Amino acid sequence: MTTPSESLGFIHRFIPAPEPDSSLTLVLLHGTGGDETDLLGVGRQLAPAAALLSPRGRVSENGMARFFRRLAEGVFDLEDLRIRTHELADFVEAAAQRYRFASDRVVAVGFSNGANIAASMLLLRPQVLAGASLFRAMVPLLPETVPSLRGKPVLLAAGRLDPIVRPEQTERLRRLLAQAGAKVTLHWEEAGHELTNGDIATARVWLRESATAPGDRSRDQQAKARET
Ligand code: MLT
């Protein structure tokens, strides 16, 4: 059952876990101009047994939804980014109570602008996320103090030909997250800024191996076996 909702401060979808005892929830964060439906299919491919929570960014840039304001391509309004990061983190915490999912088993899956706010959430509200899969992310901000992300799995999926996120940006983000103690996996696609099937296949394996509990893992494997 899908629940479209405007409550909790964000227009969002929540899809409960198909298996009631699965504890993993993916928070799906779309790119600029997307909405809460964009990544539902990707989320289901990544983790067939997981619950899916997918908010729409509350900022409008010429009618395109985003999660925070920017001044130009890759130049962020840092004050707005901080405020929006806390709003989103509060939303995830409130949604865990409303929909009764495990608040310590939440993994963000973000693309582009959604990946950037997910990275910001890791840096400013690390307790909200158990891990993150970041497609085409850049360094969103530099936190005043380095948070502890000790042992949290983070996948950075970058495009070698990405005209928006240069390789040195990816490398800076990798270093920042690793310095905070995250278990960073860096994956390079022969691609630009767009999300590819290779990204999804990589994230699926990464999620199964590093970010799911044993119960989720066996259920995901059963679901995969049913698909084939
Ligand atoms: C951003 O603004 O978050 C990044 O430049 C990516 C984008 O949304 O184009």
Side-chain angles (χ1 to χ4, degrees), residues 91-107:
F91 162 75
V92 173
E93 287 179 345
Q97 294 215 339
R98 161 78 62 89
Y99 298 119
R100 297 177 183 280
F101 59 78
S103 58
D104 59 348
R105 299 275 295 119
V106 176
V107 172

Side-chain angles (χ1 to χ4, degrees), residues 32 66 68 70 73-74 76 112-113 116 138 164 193:
T32 299
R66 286 177 52 84
F68 58 89
R70 64 179 164 184
E73 180 70 66
F76 301 149
S112 189
N113 181 243
N116 292 339
M138 54 180 77
I164 296 173
H193 198 64

Side-chain angles (χ1 to χ4, degrees), residues 44-170:
R44 192 44 80 227
Q45 284 184 65
L46 294 184
L52 305 177
L53 176 67
S54 189
R56 185 191 303 180
R58 290 170 42 147
V59 167
S60 171
E61 183 184 273
N62 303 320
M64 295 185 298
R66 286 177 52 84
F67 285 97
F68 58 89
R69 288 201 187 91
R70 64 179 164 184
L71 308 174
E73 180 70 66
V75 183
F76 301 149
D77 177 337
L78 294 179
E79 174 68 19
D80 188 65
L81 173 55
R82 281 176 199 278
I83 293 168
R84 304 283 176 187
T85 300
H86 286 293
E87 277 178 5
L88 184 62
D90 291 345
F91 162 75
V92 173
E93 287 179 345
Q97 294 215 339
R98 161 78 62 89
Y99 298 119
R100 297 177 183 280
F101 59 78
S103 58
D104 59 348
R105 299 275 295 119
V106 176
V107 172
V109 174
F111 168 64
S112 189
N113 181 243
N116 292 339
I117 198 155
S120 182
M121 214 163 21
L122 282 171
L123 295 169
L124 296 182
R125 292 283 289 273
Q127 64 287 357
V128 173
L129 297 176
S133 176
L134 307 178
F135 300 111
R136 311 299 185 265
M138 54 180 77
V139 175
L141 48 71
L142 292 174
E144 277 165 26
T145 53
V146 178
S148 172
L149 296 171
R150 193 194 302 213
K152 289 190 200 266
V154 178
L155 173 67
L156 284 186
R160 270 194 212 287
L161 312 171
D162 191 334
I164 296 173
V165 184
R166 308 306 306 163
E168 53 273 21
Q169 269 278 345
T170 303

Side-chain angles (χ1 to χ4, degrees), residues 130-132 149-156 174 177-186 206 209-211:
L149 296 171
R150 193 194 302 213
K152 289 190 200 266
V154 178
L155 173 67
L156 284 186
R174 187 195 65 72
L177 295 170
Q179 190 195 350
K183 215 173 97 207
V184 184
T185 302
L186 177 55
W206 168 83
E209 289 179 351
S210 58

